Amino acid sequence: MLCFLIGLIVSLLGFFNNLAIENIAGTKFVITSDMMLARKYIAAFLVFASLNLGLTLFASLITALIAPEAAGSGIPEVKAYLNGVDAPAIFSLRTLFVKIVGSISAISASLNIGKAGPMVHTGACIAAIMGEGGSKKYGLTWKWLQVFKNDQDRRDLVTCGSAAGITAAFRAPVGGVLFALEEMASWWRSTLLWRAYFTTAVVAIILRALIDVCLRGKCGLFGKGGLIMYDVTSANISYHLRDVPPVLVLGVIGGILGSIYNFLLNKVLRLFNFINEKGIFYKIILACCISIFTSCLLFGLPWLASCRSCPSDTSEPCPTIGRSGNYKKFQCPPGHYNDLASLFFNTNDDAIKNLFSKDTDSEFHHLSMLIFFVTCFVLSIFSYGIVAPAGLFVPVIVTGAAYGRFVGMIIGSHSNLNQGLFAVLGSAALLGGSMRTTVSLCVIILELTNNLLLLPLIMLVLLISKTVADAFNGNIYDLIMKSKGFPYLETHAEPYMRQLTVCDVVTGPLQIFHGIEKVGNIVHVLKTTGHNGFPVVDEPPLSESPVLFGLILRAHLITLLKKKAFLRTPVPIGPDAFLQFSSNDFAKKGLGNGDKIEDIKLSNEEMEMFIDLHPFTNATPYTVVETMSLAKALILFREVGLRHLLVVPKVSGHIPVVGILTRHDFMPEHILNLNPSLTRGRWKRLRFRFPRLGRLIREL
């Protein structure tokens, strides 16, 4: 039932987003086109740039002031959460609101950003909020849903929500499931597979019903939205062995371009982060500057293109005025169109359709396609880092389509494939080179184009582009997670981890609590450390020798202090400890921040009292011996989904626990910092670098 509700809400939001973007952007293009028809070119530019600036300013303001967590794609945050990183407020109600409204506003502002990432984050937010039983902060709670208030069920629901988000963005249900499996989820089960599939099926069915409204022309004044991409390529395709070499070249160059794209985007994000750290004012100014720069390029570059005569055999009006279409009039005389304006003066969804469209080999000029490719490549890099919801999927598809179409123009009659098919393969090549996923991307593109005959070529392009790009750097989402500081655990252990034991990476000092501890000591440790887990040790007279009793969490300690479950003398309390507590007191808090130690006020008398920690301690924590291989410990830590792993001595001694391993201790940066000699060791992954390009970027 929850999966059905998630699918229903995400599909309605996806349809609403498309409808809003098409109509807001459409109104803007209609106003600008009417001024162009009246030859008021300067006024048209000022109105176009002002509307874009206003929409960008609105999106950046609500993001910076209400929910900074809503900035960017959202896919790295959701992926990190599914890996075990619980970033605060990424699934809150205000984040959901800003993600929806800000995404509509930013995309309508003609920024070269996409909707797929924000839709994934939106779907994950809806799933997480429903799994929480609503929002307690805003008084929207459903107690009958709180049975899912645990880590595993919440993680499963978020996975289903992210799959639904991709489905709502591209109307690709199978591709959505595979994307969640291949890119998002760190743990996967057969039960989760059919739940995610059911969720995406609900989204696809509801979207298909709603699209009938668009097909009857009731969706607004500008286009049919990005939900309708079927039949954009030739129905019958025939290709031969001589068509394969150009496709191979397309994949190789696509992989190189994708790795360069990731490298440059990573550098720009670091620069933008440096600017954004200066304050909200700088964030807003940066977003406004990118908007003005984008408007100047979109309005100014079409003037470089020459007017072309309308084809006589076209199936749609030429030129198209004030609506979506392949033939934009812009400044051209009657009976002519501007091919570059046909791409720039459209939403990204309609630009993709124009590039993918069949029987249009003579529609675009070589120079226009090259200009469009370079512009999209640059704008997609500089538009992503602003303080607004922004996706990368659609910009990469547009840029790759322009690249593929340009290659198709160069090859010309030497191949049986038309330029629209080259555009599809170009999108696949750049997606593979940037995102580095294969199966899910292949299925998403097939579901977008509705053409199964393309399957062998798309598979070939994706495999080649991913292989080539992997030789240079990681995928774009991993690079963004790294720049944000998320401690993401990979599925494999680095080779040098086999040379180390867990004792080599354990760092101190270790904070230990006794089974019956003084309140003042607990408060002092909680205030002076940021640790979330503490070993509990019994010593004489409670035991014959020091022995590890278990592990207690910071949140549980704060609950004990908040409830003031204190003893005047250090004696065991026994089973009566639970009389003043309920299970909800120790349940994981909501999506916002939980209680803090600074909020608890205690008197001097209470600070001298004691707490019996035994009834509230996990007496069966996971432990490893200090001589265990670090690689094996990583596999255990990740596969079980742990937050703390206790390290015990090989030989029993005075101290029953050596340390605690957390996610941070398995990060390559931390390990190499403790063991610098491994940096120059022979255990290195084969990967090429961009030394000259990096030096050039630093000089600029």
Side-chain angles (χ1 to χ4, degrees), residues 471-482:
F472 295 96
N473 49 33
N475 81 61
I476 188 62
Y477 296 127
D478 288 350
L479 293 176
I480 294 174
M481 282 194 297
K482 188 175 181 180

Side-chain angles (χ1 to χ4, degrees), residues 199-231:
T199 308
T200 59
V202 171
V203 176
I205 293 169
I206 295 175
L207 283 180
R208 186 63 189 87
L210 293 172
I211 283 172
D212 285 336
V213 180
C214 288
L215 293 175
R216 292 195 296 267
K218 297 181 180 179
C219 276
L221 50 86
F222 198 79
K224 299 175 181 177
L227 296 170
I228 304 175
M229 290 223 179
Y230 287 145
D231 304 322

Side-chain angles (χ1 to χ4, degrees), residues 149-311:
K149 203 170 183 179
N150 59 79
D151 285 330
Q152 179 175 316
D153 284 331
R154 187 187 295 124
R155 191 167 58 234
D156 288 353
L157 288 172
V158 168
T159 304
C160 293
S162 61
I166 284 289
T167 306
F170 296 119
R171 213 176 115 203
V174 180
V177 175
L178 293 175
F179 184 81
L181 165 63
E182 187 176 7
E183 180 64 27
M184 305 297 294
S186 295
W187 296 278
W188 196 263
R189 310 187 316 279
S190 58
T191 307
L192 179 58
L193 178 64
W194 77 259
R195 286 175 181 165
Y197 181 71
F198 174 74
T199 308
T200 59
V202 171
V203 176
I205 293 169
I206 295 175
L207 283 180
R208 186 63 189 87
L210 293 172
I211 283 172
D212 285 336
V213 180
C214 288
L215 293 175
R216 292 195 296 267
K218 297 181 180 179
C219 276
L221 50 86
F222 198 79
K224 299 175 181 177
L227 296 170
I228 304 175
M229 290 223 179
Y230 287 145
D231 304 322
V232 292
T233 55
S234 301
N236 297 314
I237 306 170
S238 61
Y239 47 88
H240 306 285
L241 192 60
R242 69 187 184 96
D243 298 317
V244 175
V247 174
L248 296 178
V249 174
L250 195 74
V252 172
I253 299 177
I256 296 174
L257 288 175
S259 59
I260 294 175
Y261 181 89
N262 291 3
F263 173 80
L264 293 176
L265 182 60
N266 190 37
K267 296 295 183 183
V268 170
L269 285 178
R270 290 185 182 181
L271 173 63
F272 282 11
N273 288 338
F274 174 76
I275 297 173
N276 291 335
E277 287 173 356
K278 294 180 178 294
I280 294 178
F281 176 76
Y282 290 90
K283 294 180 181 180
I284 304 300
I285 292 298
L286 177 62
C288 292
C289 290
I290 296 297
S291 175
I292 295 171
F293 177 64
T294 301
S295 298
C296 291
L297 290 181
L298 298 189
F299 195 91
L301 289 177
W303 292 90
L304 301 177
S306 58
C307 295
R308 301 169 69 88
S309 299
C310 289

Side-chain angles (χ1 to χ4, degrees), residues 587-658:
K588 187 171 181 179
K589 302 300 179 184
L591 297 170
N593 294 325
D595 297 322
K596 297 181 179 179
I597 184 62
E598 291 78 12
D599 300 330
I600 297 176
K601 306 299 181 184
L602 299 173
S603 65
N604 291 334
E605 182 183 359
E606 290 171 333
M607 295 286 277
E608 296 298 322
M609 293 184 179
F610 299 88
I611 299 180
D612 183 5
L613 301 180
H614 293 100
F616 312 101
T617 300
N618 174 15
T620 58
Y622 280 89
T623 61
V624 293
V625 182
E626 60 181 338
T627 55
M628 185 178 189
S629 164
L630 185 62
K632 290 182 179 179
L634 171 61
I635 295 172
L636 171 66
F637 192 93
R638 189 184 188 280
E639 293 303 318
V640 181
L642 301 177
R643 291 182 64 194
H644 306 95
L645 184 60
L646 296 179
V647 181
V648 296
K650 186 175 182 180
V651 179
S652 299
H654 179 66
I655 301 177
V657 58
V658 176

Side-chain angles (χ1 to χ4, degrees), residues 207-495:
L207 283 180
R208 186 63 189 87
L210 293 172
I211 283 172
D212 285 336
V213 180
C214 288
L215 293 175
R216 292 195 296 267
K218 297 181 180 179
C219 276
L221 50 86
F222 198 79
K224 299 175 181 177
L227 296 170
I228 304 175
M229 290 223 179
Y230 287 145
D231 304 322
V232 292
T233 55
S234 301
N236 297 314
I237 306 170
S238 61
Y239 47 88
H240 306 285
L241 192 60
R242 69 187 184 96
D243 298 317
V244 175
V247 174
L248 296 178
V249 174
L250 195 74
V252 172
I253 299 177
I256 296 174
L257 288 175
S259 59
I260 294 175
Y261 181 89
N262 291 3
F263 173 80
L264 293 176
L265 182 60
N266 190 37
K267 296 295 183 183
V268 170
L269 285 178
R270 290 185 182 181
L271 173 63
F272 282 11
N273 288 338
F274 174 76
I275 297 173
N276 291 335
E277 287 173 356
K278 294 180 178 294
I280 294 178
F281 176 76
Y282 290 90
K283 294 180 181 180
I284 304 300
I285 292 298
L286 177 62
C288 292
C289 290
I290 296 297
S291 175
I292 295 171
F293 177 64
T294 301
S295 298
C296 291
L297 290 181
L298 298 189
F299 195 91
L301 289 177
W303 292 90
L304 301 177
S306 58
C307 295
R308 301 169 69 88
S309 299
C310 289
S312 57
D313 56 346
T314 179
S315 58
E316 62 176 278
C318 179
T320 50
I321 301 173
R323 54 189 289 278
S324 62
N326 282 25
Y327 307 100
K328 288 287 184 178
K329 187 176 185 297
F330 205 63
Q331 89 289 9
C332 295
H336 293 73
Y337 71 97
N338 187 313
D339 59 344
L340 202 49
S342 301
L343 297 172
F344 281 135
F345 264 63
N346 265 324
T347 59
N348 275 340
D349 295 329
D350 289 310
I352 292 171
K353 286 183 227 176
N354 290 354
L355 292 169
F356 283 6
S357 57
K358 57 186 177 182
D359 302 327
T360 56
D361 286 2
S362 60
E363 181 181 334
F364 301 102
H365 191 270
H366 293 71
L367 182 59
S368 297
M369 194 54 57
L370 181 61
I371 292 174
F372 183 70
F373 164 68
V374 174
T375 305
C376 287
F377 193 89
V378 172
L379 286 181
S380 61
I381 290 174
F382 282 93
S383 299
Y384 179 78
I386 67 171
V387 58
L392 287 170
F393 231 108
V394 173
V396 172
I397 292 177
V398 176
T399 307
Y403 150 68
R405 187 129 189 160
F406 181 71
V407 172
M409 289 177 173
I410 295 175
I411 294 175
S413 59
H414 298 290
S415 174
N416 290 330
L417 304 178
N418 63 48
Q419 294 176 12
L421 296 178
F422 270 106
V424 175
L425 296 176
S427 293
L430 198 58
L431 282 170
S434 178
M435 310 291 181
R436 310 293 166 82
T437 54
T438 50
V439 180
S440 57
L441 286 179
C442 182
V443 175
I444 288 172
I445 294 172
L446 289 177
E447 290 182 295
L448 276 178
T449 58
N450 196 27
N451 202 325
L452 197 59
L453 295 174
L454 283 173
L455 177 61
L457 294 180
I458 293 176
M459 290 176 66
L460 184 63
V461 163
L462 284 171
L463 287 170
I464 293 174
S465 62
K466 172 182 166 50
T467 303
V468 171
D470 278 339
F472 295 96
N473 49 33
N475 81 61
I476 188 62
Y477 296 127
D478 288 350
L479 293 176
I480 294 174
M481 282 194 297
K482 188 175 181 180
S483 69
K484 288 179 177 285
F486 293 142
Y488 184 85
L489 291 180
E490 297 289 351
T491 55
H492 61 276
E494 295 290 343

Side-chain angles (χ1 to χ4, degrees), residues 506 510-513 534-537 546-551 622-624 626 645-649 651 653-661:
V506 169
L510 180 64
Q511 299 291 344
I512 296 176
F513 287 131
F534 302 91
V536 176
V537 174
V547 60
L548 175 66
F549 183 80
L551 180 78
Y622 280 89
T623 61
V624 293
E626 60 181 338
L645 184 60
L646 296 179
V647 181
V648 296
V651 179
H654 179 66
I655 301 177
V657 58
V658 176
I660 296 183
L661 288 175

Side-chain angles (χ1 to χ4, degrees), residues 90-104:
I90 60 171
F91 296 139
S92 66
L93 200 60
R94 69 173 187 270
T95 302
L96 174 62
F97 169 77
V98 172
K99 203 74 180 185
I100 296 170
V101 178
S103 174
I104 293 172

